[in-house]
């Protein structure tokens, strides 16, 4: 990471904050409308893959358009997250990751991991900081149920984890907890299996139910509390695998059945869709759409729609934006927790 650059961007962001101005600090690039998986909790899991492929061919940004948008966003942010649809399904993914690196932007790529063996992993190692593998379950049957795929893909992902290890590419795994995979968190099997695979860091949150379908994948309240208590118990007794989501997240769900936050932190990240659009303040406000091919970040972030975050409490579990919705002291504590973990690893 380019520390000087990061400090400069953080300084400018803090100055804006002191003046009451919201600006993003993290970039999330959703690279394509296509995904080869069928996850029920995700709009990209659409079973009509032909239609999804056609959409991707017509609407996905070209290589040059993505590069232009990445260059426009980079001066504002300290980290970038590349996700999907499935980012590795794009033939130009390595070229785009290299472009982000050329902008001195650290990169985490979130992937289902099923296509990693098709990439030049030595080249990949040079242009990503972390790979986050979405692995909701480490048991073949529940993995296949949650993700809607055949056992061969589970086996392929497991062997691709080994490829990452062999190539020395830093990686961790992430799970979305639904009613289909609670058991392995209650029994700690998920953590034990991760450890046996040499995975040192894991992350997980409960599913945020989609607003565009008429089913819920959230476990019932009683089961959620059992999951939270088991995860807290594991954290107390084990340093590895390190659980990225801190105790407070699980404690809030036990106490209130949902997470707490004063102001939703969705504005701290710029979520760029595969066609270059940004929705203000989030994907649930589909009428407020701006395209980064036409507008710059300052213009989009000065829209009045962002004021909505002051009042909106619609999300119960917030998933990936829980951290950014917490107070500065919680974020600082999380940072210190990460530093302590790194020190423990380095000092043995
Ligand atoms: S693998 Fe990821 S992007 Fe693809 S459908 Fe599942 S959750 Fe969505
Ligand atoms: S709490 Fe509201 S503003 Fe925040 S992500 Fe959820 S719907 Fe969007």
């Amino acid at each position: 990471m380019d520390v000087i650059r990061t400090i400069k961007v953080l300084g400018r962001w803090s100055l804006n904050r002191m003046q009451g101005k919201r600006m993003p600090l993290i970039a999330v690039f959703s690279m394509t409308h296509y995904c080869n998986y069928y996850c029920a909790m995700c709009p990209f899991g659409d079973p009509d893959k032909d239609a999804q492929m056609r959409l991707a061919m017509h609407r996905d940004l070209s290589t040059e358009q993505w590069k232009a948008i990445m260059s426009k966003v980079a001066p504002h942010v300290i980290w970038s997250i590349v996700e999907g649809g499935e980012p590795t399904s794009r033939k130009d993914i390595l070229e785009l990751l290299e472009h982000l690196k050329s902008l001195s932007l650290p990169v985490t790529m979130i992937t289902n991991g099923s296509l990693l063996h098709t990439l030049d992993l030595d080249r990949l190692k040079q242009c990503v900081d972390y790979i986050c593998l979405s692995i909701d379950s480490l048991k073949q049957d529940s993995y296949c149920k949650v993700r809607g795929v055949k056992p061969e893909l589970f086996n392929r992902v497991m062997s691709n984890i080994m490829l990452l290890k062999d190539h020395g590419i830093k990686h961790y795994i992430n799970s979305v907890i639904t009613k289909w995979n609670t058991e392995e968190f209650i029994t700690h099997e998920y953590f034990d299996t991760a450890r046996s695979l040499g995975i040192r860091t894991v992350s997980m949150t409960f599913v945020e139910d989609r607003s565009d379908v008429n089913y819920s994948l959230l476990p019932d309240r009683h089961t959620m509390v059992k999951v939270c208590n088991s995860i807290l118990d594991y954290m107390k007794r084990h340093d590895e695998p390190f659980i990225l989501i801190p105790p407070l997240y699980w404690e809030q769900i036990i106490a209130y059945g949902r997470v707490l936050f004063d102001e939703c932190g969705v504005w701290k990240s710029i979520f760029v869709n595969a066609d270059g659009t940004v929705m203000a303040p989030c994907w649930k406000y589909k009428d407020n759409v701006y395209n980064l091919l036409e507008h710059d970040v300052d213009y989009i972030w000065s829209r009045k729609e962002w004021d909505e975050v002051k009042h909106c409490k619609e999300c119960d579990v917030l998933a990936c934006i829980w951290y950014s919705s917490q107070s500065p002291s919680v974020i600082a504590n999380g940072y210190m927790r990460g530093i302590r973990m790194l020190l423990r690893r380095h000092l043995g």
Side-chain angles (χ1 to χ4, degrees), residues 217-231:
L217 295 177
L218 254 193
D220 61 66
R221 172 109 175 86
H222 175 70
T223 310
M224 282 175 81
V225 169
K226 268 171 92 173
V227 169
C228 294
N229 277 322
S230 290
I231 292 175

Side-chain angles (χ1 to χ4, degrees), residues 5 27-29 31 66-67 69-71 73-74 77 79-83 93-109 126-129:
R5 177 192 181 279
V28 184
F29 300 117
M31 302 304 300
W66 261 127
K67 284 185 183 174
I69 284 184
M70 287 166 170
S71 301
V73 171
V77 296
W79 202 280
S80 64
I81 296 171
V82 165
E83 58 172 29
I93 189 63
L94 290 174
E95 185 179 343
L96 291 171
L97 293 169
E98 282 165 351
H99 182 69
L100 285 172
K101 269 285 145 191
S102 75
L103 298 167
S104 303
L105 207 50
V107 185
T108 298
M109 180 167 76
Q126 299 307 316
C127 53
V128 288
D129 293 83

Side-chain angles (χ1 to χ4, degrees), residues 187-306:
T187 61
H188 295 167
E189 193 181 345
Y190 188 87
F191 307 118
D192 294 338
T193 309
R195 204 166 39 174
S196 71
L197 290 168
I199 294 163
R200 304 184 77 188
T201 304
V202 299
S203 175
M204 74 282 307
T205 56
F206 284 104
V207 65
E208 186 67 57
D209 272 331
R210 292 166 59 183
S211 54
D212 59 335
V213 294
N214 57 3
Y215 54 79
S216 168
L217 295 177
L218 254 193
D220 61 66
R221 172 109 175 86
H222 175 70
T223 310
M224 282 175 81
V225 169
K226 268 171 92 173
V227 169
C228 294
N229 277 322
S230 290
I231 292 175
L232 286 169
D233 175 51
Y234 195 89
M235 278 177 175
K236 271 189 211 131
R237 296 196 284 123
H238 302 271
D239 289 336
E240 281 211 3
F242 179 72
I243 298 174
L244 276 175
I245 304 298
L248 185 64
Y249 174 86
W250 313 104
E251 287 160 1
Q252 286 182 349
I253 291 178
I254 291 171
Y256 308 103
R258 58 163 296 144
V259 297
L260 302 184
F261 51 95
D262 290 334
E263 177 180 293
C264 171
V266 71
W267 59 271
K268 291 176 191 158
S269 303
I270 175 163
F271 289 90
V272 188
N273 296 312
D275 57 1
T277 55
V278 171
M279 290 168 176
C282 75
W283 52 92
K284 292 196 181 171
Y285 295 81
K286 294 193 182 342
D287 293 337
N288 311 335
V289 181
Y290 299 93
N291 200 309
L292 270 167
L293 292 172
E294 296 157 27
H295 303 289
D296 60 27
V297 177
D298 283 298
Y299 174 83
I300 300 175
W301 253 254
S302 62
R303 302 297 90 201
K304 279 209 72 59
E305 288 95 306
W306 294 101

